[in-house]
Amino acid sequence: MRALTYTDYGDPSVLRVTDQPEPHAGPGQVRIAVHAAAVNPIDWKIRRGLFDDTSPLAFPAIPGSDASGVVDEVGPGVAGVSVGDEVFGSGRSASAQYAVLDHYTVKPPELTWEQASGLPMATETARRALGLLGLRAGQTLLIEGAAGGTGSAAAQFAIADGLTVIGTASDRNQDYLRSLGVRPTTYGTGLKDRVARLAPDGVDGVFDTAGSGSLPELIEIAGDPGRVVTIADFSAPQYGARVTSAMSDDPAYDALPQAAELAREGRFTVAIDSEYPLDAGAKAHERSEGGHVRGKIVLKVW
């Protein structure tokens, strides 16, 4: 099969499309003929060797964990999904013609292949962070970096949960946030005052997806470091705030069917920042590393 691969750590130039052996579904897994695969920040961080000390790769490596496609092989113990079903989910080595998924759900027709491929990691991360914050309907959530894949997923889940959401983003993404039902503001100096104008009674929780150095101000806005969860600022513990990851906290894979159901109801969507063919995988990774991404970056495989 054709797959995006690399044989050593490095910048996007190490990526090449090569022929690789096809994977096969094991117990509880499905294999899909991939239609689209998302590029997440974790993919290029792994490719650059940032996790080599704890999780060294075996080369050649195929990046990517999130994909959508048609099931063509079902492993032992799989229920509710059959060969021929259209699904999306997460697994490993997704930037290829075939990928094995560990966690998956049926793709609703309301989502394109590209949109569905962008859901798994973003929705799991968003739902996990919201669970840690434990907010209730009627409360207010501030999301730092609300226009990105995880931020926009968190915003839509939170609104569906009955929360009021304030989100930071660049000027060009303000209308996008409004379309999701978010009260938008810009990030940077003076954020506390801008948030106070949007939420005179204060906010009940903060979710930081950006890791832009704003954590002290976010804690000040929240009024308590225990009300702040971040996925991107690893200095959080020194301030009393919490960093969450799928390795440190229980994953929230129930987010996948939840997002699919909300999409069927017209209450969940995915913005696509850019699309690239598999052969342009290096450009897709370069775009992701550049930051200021609205929604998801996607590789179109089939």
Side-chain angles (χ1 to χ4, degrees):
M1 68 172 184
R2 298 177 73 245
L4 188 67
T5 60
Y6 54 106
T7 57
D8 201 357
Y9 298 116
D11 63 26
S13 68
V14 301
L15 293 166
R16 298 282 188 277
V17 173
T18 62
D19 289 324
Q20 296 295 321
E22 293 182 11
H24 294 284
Q29 299 175 326
V30 299
R31 189 180 83 164
I32 61 171
V34 177
H35 277 248
V39 176
N40 292 303
I42 189 66
D43 299 333
W44 56 260
K45 291 176 182 178
I46 292 172
R47 189 207 69 233
R48 288 173 56 187
L50 300 184
F51 300 97
D52 185 38
D53 289 344
T54 56
S55 303
L57 292 177
F59 294 110
I62 302 173
S65 61
D66 295 354
S68 62
V70 177
V71 175
D72 77 338
E73 188 176 285
V74 174
V78 170
V81 173
S82 303
V83 170
D85 286 349
E86 298 180 353
V87 302
F88 67 92
S90 61
R92 62 188 68 82
S93 303
S95 300
Q97 285 183 299
Y98 297 95
V100 170
L101 303 182
D102 301 304
H103 307 282
Y104 43 85
T105 195
V106 174
K107 182 185 83 68
E110 289 79 6
L111 294 175
T112 66
W113 292 114
E114 292 75 24
Q115 290 174 318
S117 73
L119 279 174
M121 184 174 292
T123 55
E124 186 281 321
T125 304
R127 182 49 82 188
R128 171 166 32 89
L130 291 174
L132 293 173
L133 287 170
L135 302 183
R136 304 181 305 276
Q139 294 187 303
T140 299
L141 170 69
L142 170 64
I143 301 175
E144 177 82 313
T150 300
S152 60
Q156 292 175 92
F157 277 142
I159 290 169
D161 291 344
L163 302 179
T164 296
V165 178
I166 298 169
T168 68
S170 62
D171 287 330
R172 72 182 184 91
N173 287 326
Q174 302 288 295
D175 286 342
Y176 168 58
L177 292 187
R178 290 188 186 94
S179 75
L180 299 179
V182 175
R183 298 179 182 180
T185 188
T186 53
Y187 45 75
T189 304
L191 178 61
K192 182 180 179 181
D193 292 337
R194 293 193 297 278
V195 170
R197 288 193 290 271
L198 292 170
D201 295 329
V203 303
D204 302 288
V206 176
F207 179 29
D208 170 34
T209 74
S212 58
S214 61
L215 194 63
E217 188 171 17
L218 295 176
I219 292 171
E220 187 177 359
I221 292 169
D224 182 342
R227 295 179 179 176
V228 179
V229 171
T230 180
I231 58 170
D233 192 328
F234 299 98
S235 70
Q238 74 185 62
Y239 297 102
R242 181 165 185 165
V243 179
T244 182
S245 73
M247 292 181 289
S248 64
D249 296 302
D250 291 336
Y253 291 118
D254 58 340
L256 276 67
Q258 289 176 17
E261 182 58 31
L262 288 172
R264 291 186 187 97
E265 298 171 359
R267 296 196 291 157
F268 205 103
T269 189
V270 183
I272 301 300
D273 177 271
S274 47
E275 300 175 5
Y276 298 85
L278 188 63
D279 289 333
K283 291 186 179 297
H285 274 236
E286 184 178 356
R287 170 68 186 127
S288 181
E289 288 191 56
H292 301 290
V293 173
R294 178 199 292 181
K296 304 299 295 188
I297 297 168
V298 176
L299 294 173
K300 299 180 73 171
V301 180
W302 286 96

